[in-house]
Amino acid sequence: RFEKGRIYTFIGEVVVSMNPYKNLNIYGRDMIEQYKGRELYERPPHLFAIADAAYKAMKRRSKDTCIVISGESGAGKTEASKYIMQYIAAITNPGQRAEVERVKNILLKSNCVLEAFGNAKTNRNDNSSRFGKYMDINFDFKGDPIGGHINNYLLEKSRVIVQQPGERSFHSFYQLLQGGSDQMLRSLHLQKDASAYSYICPGAQIKCSINDGAEFKAVADAMKVIGFKQEEIQTVYKIVATILHLGNLKFSVDGDTPVIENGKVVSIIADLLSTKSDMVEKALLFRTVATGRDVIDKQHTEQEATYGRDAFAKAIYERLFCWIVTHINDVIEVKNYDTTIHGKNTVIGVLDIYGFEIFDNNSFEQFCINYCNEKLQQLFIQLVLKQEQEEYQREGIPWKHIDYFNNQVIVDLVEQQHKGIIAILDDACMNVGKVTDEMFLEALNNKLGKHVHFSSRKLCATDKTLEFDRDFRIKHYAGDVIYSVTGFIDKNKDTLFQDFKRLMYNSSNPVLKMMWPEGKLSITEVTKRPLTAATLFKNSMIALVDNLASKEPYYVRCIKPNDKKSPQLFDEERCRHQVEYLGLLENVRVRRAGFAYRQTYEKFLHRYKMISEFTWPNHDLPSDKDAVKKLIECHGFQHDVAYGKTKIFIRTPRTLFTLEELHAKMLVRIVLFLQKVWRGTLARLRYKRTKAALTILKYYRRYKVKAYIHEVARRFHNVRLMKDYGKHVQWPTPPKVLRRFEEALQTIYHRWRAGELIRSVPPEVLPQLRAKVAAMEVLKGHRADIGLQRVWEGNYIALKPDNPQTTGSFISVANELKRKDKYMNVLFSCHVRKVNRFNKVEDRAIFITDRHLYKMDPMKQYKVMRTIPLYNLIGLSVSNGKDQLVVFHTKDNKDLIVCLFSKEPSNDSRIGELVGVLASHFKRSKRALQVSVTNPVQCSLHGRKCTVSVETKINQSQPDFTKHRSGFILCVPGN
């Protein structure tokens, strides 16, 4: 399977993962979709399957879960944790909520930042975690991540000042030198060559698969995404640069006085730490000691100065790392979460902690790391092997006990109160006077000499692998490890002179000041003895294991195929050894003999009762156990289960998956039923509210209508007695529903008012009034001068002022025509200038009765030249100017083109009157008369189309027609 790239195996809910030492294309979006929402055994073994199982358990059962990733250094734990995080991020937040996306992004980006500052290249692994990390991801009731919290454990800070052969310091140092811009390096007084700095010089030439330059940019971008301000990022790199410069400080003794040989570096350090050079120098060369009330400055020896400087470098790096973790926690912390409003807040924990380590030289850090792995192995044994077997016996399930190695004895060897190695180490550190590492080893020999898992050269004089007064051996679950006691006392005390704390607290950089709050303490202030490094680590491990034990655990057990980081080599002996000490064989045996799932009867019923008619919605059987039996028998699963005293045990996952499928199908029906009932309830409530609203509206409208009518009646109460019949009265604003009614009412009122006004007009004036109204309807807005202000005489030729000489002859002709044509009324008469189709312009007169239009020659005693019956007249055309042009349109297309003129007064406009009397007559006769107002005017002379346009001329004395290629032009006087 390893050779084919199938690197995952299942043992129950434990994934065994082989490090392939190459990139495999099995983590893409398409692979995520294959595992999303699937049960554990539906797809081939994969990290995504365990991540989905943990997520489903958390979402379905509202149970906190955790994924514990364990294995040796270089077995692929950090990569596994990143893929699990990537999977959880990919399957959550289908609604694309911005806040959830922000949290997911920060959780993913935090890996990149923490790896830069907490990981390093070791002989086992190019990207080895040199700190422990446990990340809690908080989810809301929908299953979307809403925040998180990161706990970090024991950063291997000694790596800052010294590394084993073939190893590097933390990535951050090399990334800054390789990725920082020239300008940035200048501001930090750095050069690109790592070998120029004594702290990281040994690792400068070592090849590493990490691309430091590219990673620097990725880390800077990630810090911006997480929410680090620019000045905070700048401070981070100032601290990294400070450590590099600290390593280059050289101490010597001038007489009895210690001095710094390269004083220029001190001013660089002071500049980077935003403090004064003399304060930095004093902190490096002197130690302030309080004796009673007196405070004295004690000079360092060269050795003490070097120790103080190294302790300072380690401390500021550790403080920086813890500050970065705290900053990330502040950003992703769940804020303002109220369980009563938002539902239960559940957690998935992911533990990625340093693996078991055996180096050529194993010191205090390896001791702590291997103790941590013992604790996690103990948890695995407790939950997977010991508790499971004990539970079967407790519940009365037939069970044959399976033996396994319980490493509790090794855990006790390290952490037991008063007797364990940590307790002995703490006692040695608390002794008054000078205590050496050799004295600590002697104490171990005396107190633990008879322990089967502990040995030293003094106890085994013949064992030459152990050095006298230096080494001791612990038989760990993963193999024997020889530890060198050199540095145990110092590293456990973790001493940092108070002078350095005060120096950092007094920095003018607020970020640095915040990292060192204890620097504000006075030198004379007595403080409680701080806990030692080993005790702090032990306490944090006990708290971590308690936290993990409270959650439902899922395991990823990582295995190294070889020690050469080769993708081809499979070292069978090496793998067998890891399988043995990880307890995987016993795990397989317990799984094969045991049950995949167990649950209390009450909780089992609560989840699955809807899939059986005997248990839904509630059962009437004597107990929950009987109800569960009935439910299981209903579906034929009785051969795959066992009934304990308080729990049901299901042997194969397939049965559980079938139950889940039935539950999911039934849930849809229940949800639909609940939706139907609820929608019905909502519809009834909505109907009642709507009905009530409509009733209120009905009465309100009735009130508004009544109020409006009463108001109209009040305002128009005495309208008959008003001079203007209520024209000045303001109408009240109607309600919306009465707007059309108001329009109708106003029409009725205006007709009534018009009727009242007309009744007051003398009968003889009425025809003229009707004609003026008709003229206004047709010409208003089209012609400026209609002549409404003057009296309309109608028969102008019969009037003496207009025609003094020939009035008598016209009257006699008019009387003759009345006798002959039987007309009743004269509508209009006037002198005109006419033009005909032969372009002949003549003075004529028109005489219009209620039956005919006559064209007469005034020069021949008003002889009738042409008679047009009015039924033959279909329309009139006039221009839109002040001229007197009129074209009479006839059915036979023999239009009459004339221009009216009056002798007394000469500028009288009679167009309005002519149009008005004809329009009024045609209206009374219920016939249509088309009146058009245009310039030029279109007409037809014996079927030939032509136009008559009007032009103004200054020197023209009276209107006259002239020929034009498209018809005629009427020239009128300009004044």
Side-chain angles (χ1 to χ4, degrees), residues 638-705:
Q638 59 270 30
H639 304 300
D640 199 37
V641 301
Y643 301 101
K645 292 172 185 172
T646 62
K647 290 181 179 179
I648 178 173
F649 292 81
I650 298 174
R651 190 175 298 281
T652 62
R654 192 159 302 285
T655 299
L656 185 66
F657 300 156
T658 310
L659 285 169
E660 276 298 329
E661 281 172 17
L662 292 167
H663 169 265
K665 282 179 190 170
M666 207 62 210
L667 208 59
V668 173
R669 291 170 65 183
I670 291 167
V671 167
L672 286 172
F673 174 73
L674 290 172
Q675 283 179 341
K676 182 185 83 171
V677 173
W678 180 239
R679 280 177 182 150
T681 305
L682 286 177
R684 282 186 285 278
L685 286 170
R686 205 176 296 120
Y687 169 74
K688 284 179 182 174
R689 278 202 299 272
T690 307
K691 190 178 177 186
L694 287 171
T695 305
I696 293 166
L697 271 172
K698 184 174 80 175
Y699 281 95
Y700 181 70
R701 277 179 183 159
R702 191 178 291 175
Y703 157 73
K704 292 294 278 185
V705 167

Side-chain angles (χ1 to χ4, degrees), residues 193-389:
D193 183 11
S195 58
Y197 302 99
S198 60
Y199 276 163
I200 63 166
C201 176
Q205 306 306 322
I206 294 167
K207 282 190 179 175
C208 180
S209 58
I210 305 284
N211 182 340
D212 294 317
E215 285 298 315
F216 176 80
K217 188 174 183 312
V219 171
D221 292 343
M223 287 174 93
K224 282 177 193 160
V225 170
I226 290 167
F228 285 86
K229 296 178 190 147
Q230 193 55 47
E231 56 268 28
E232 289 174 334
I233 297 172
Q234 196 63 34
T235 301
V236 167
Y237 288 115
K238 278 183 180 178
I239 292 170
V240 174
T242 299
I243 292 166
L244 292 176
H245 289 302
L246 274 171
N248 284 1
L249 283 175
K250 291 187 176 64
F251 298 100
S252 61
V253 180
D254 182 10
D256 291 336
T257 313
V259 291
I260 297 168
E261 288 180 14
N262 42 354
K264 191 184 172 192
V265 178
V266 176
S267 57
I268 290 171
I269 292 168
D271 174 47
L272 294 171
L273 296 180
S274 304
T275 185
K276 294 174 185 170
S277 301
D278 55 342
M279 288 171 72
V280 174
E281 191 167 346
K282 188 182 173 194
L284 287 163
L285 297 178
F286 295 89
R287 181 181 174 192
T288 310
V289 181
T291 57
R293 291 188 179 180
D294 298 330
V295 176
I296 58 166
D297 290 333
K298 181 174 175 287
Q299 284 187 356
H300 285 320
T301 63
E302 188 181 339
Q303 187 184 355
E304 285 172 340
T306 306
Y307 171 82
R309 174 202 64 183
D310 290 348
F312 183 41
K314 289 190 289 185
I316 55 177
Y317 195 80
E318 184 186 36
R319 289 291 171 103
L320 168 65
F321 187 75
C322 293
W323 175 80
I324 289 171
V325 172
T326 306
H327 197 295
I328 294 170
N329 284 337
D330 289 343
V331 176
I332 58 173
E333 187 185 13
V334 181
K335 297 172 185 79
N336 307 323
Y337 195 91
D338 185 348
T339 49
T340 56
I341 300 167
H342 305 106
K344 190 172 185 290
N345 170 351
T346 44
V347 165
I348 292 180
V350 180
L351 178 69
D352 166 28
I353 207 156
Y354 15 56
F356 191 83
E357 289 185 345
I358 309 174
F359 291 151
D360 295 335
N361 177 27
N362 300 294
S363 186
F364 178 75
E365 288 81 9
Q366 280 66 47
F367 171 75
C368 290
I369 286 167
N370 293 342
Y371 157 62
C372 161
N373 279 270
E374 289 286 357
K375 284 292 284 183
L376 293 176
Q377 177 68 5
Q378 176 58 28
L379 176 74
F380 179 74
I381 289 166
Q382 280 287 112
L383 297 178
V384 176
L385 305 177
K386 186 167 178 274
Q387 277 185 14
E388 188 156 342
Q389 297 197 73

Side-chain angles (χ1 to χ4, degrees), residues 922-959:
F922 270 70
K923 194 174 181 181
R924 280 201 309 279
S925 306
K926 296 183 180 172
R927 282 186 291 159
L929 177 72
Q930 190 71 37
V931 179
S932 61
V933 183
T934 58
N935 185 20
V937 174
Q938 305 291 327
C939 59
S940 175
L941 295 174
H942 287 263
R944 183 170 65 84
K945 295 275 188 267
C946 65
T947 62
V948 184
S949 56
V950 180
E951 284 184 6
T952 305
K953 288 198 175 175
I954 301 295
N955 300 325
Q956 189 87 10
S957 59
Q958 57 185 22

Side-chain angles (χ1 to χ4, degrees), residues 70-98:
S70 57
E72 286 189 23
S73 178
K77 298 182 298 301
T78 299
E79 289 303 307
S81 78
K82 286 197 276 193
Y83 286 129
I84 288 168
M85 293 283 294
Q86 175 192 319
Y87 180 80
I88 291 169
I91 63 166
T92 51
N93 196 28
Q96 293 294 307
R97 286 191 288 160

Side-chain angles (χ1 to χ4, degrees), residues 494-505:
D494 199 17
T495 309
L496 179 68
F497 302 139
Q498 190 73 19
D499 304 70
F500 289 117
K501 296 176 184 175
R502 275 196 297 279
L503 175 72
M504 297 302 280
Y505 180 75

